[in-house]
Amino acid sequence: MNLLEDLLLDYSKKSISILDAEISITSYCALDLSISNDSLTTVAITDPKECKEYIDKVLTLNKAEVAYGGYLERRNLYADKSNFSKEHSVARNIHLGIDYWANAGTKVLVP
């Protein structure tokens, strides 16, 4: 192996926090923005203000500082955006990332 491979393997031996390391993992909670989440039926999830209010409510109910989730969720979050609609091709509704929500000003590490 070369030096770069050794370095990358060494990094993979333990988790790397991407948010402020002062925030305990016990202060994280899961967040479901999928189309199968019944609690979203009364939320206009495509409205940024309502979406934020919903996420803030989840954080408060879970006494959490960070919410996470998203990978492979089927979402309608972008249903009102033309770039994601069926007009251009098959509608995109599978989320391919992991989202983290925290207060503005939370430290973020970009490895």
Side-chain angles (χ1 to χ4, degrees):
M1 271 191 256
N2 65 37
L3 183 60
L4 178 58
E5 288 174 317
D6 290 340
L7 181 64
L8 293 174
L9 283 171
D10 190 50
Y11 279 137
S12 68
K13 290 179 183 173
K14 60 181 190 273
S15 298
I16 299 172
S17 179
I18 63 165
L19 295 178
D20 188 345
E22 299 292 316
I23 301 173
S24 167
I25 195 71
T26 60
S27 294
Y28 283 57
C29 71
L31 178 67
D32 179 2
L33 296 178
S34 73
I35 59 175
S36 59
N37 182 349
D38 292 334
S39 65
L40 291 178
T41 57
T42 59
V43 177
I45 199 67
T46 59
D47 178 295
K49 184 178 180 208
E50 279 198 52
C51 184
K52 181 187 179 321
E53 288 172 357
Y54 174 76
I55 294 169
D56 288 343
K57 179 180 167 185
V58 170
L59 288 167
T60 300
L61 288 171
N62 287 282
K63 297 182 175 111
E65 293 181 63
V66 177
Y68 65 90
Y71 190 69
L72 293 181
E73 280 183 349
R74 289 189 63 204
R75 293 181 174 180
N76 66 356
L77 186 59
Y78 310 113
D80 64 340
K81 309 294 186 266
S82 63
N83 290 345
F84 295 91
S85 72
K86 289 182 182 179
E87 294 172 12
H88 291 91
S89 63
V90 176
R92 262 183 73 194
N93 66 355
I94 304 294
H95 188 70
L96 297 177
I98 298 175
D99 297 318
Y100 294 91
W101 288 269
N103 288 329
T106 299
K107 296 176 188 173
V108 177
L109 170 68
V110 182

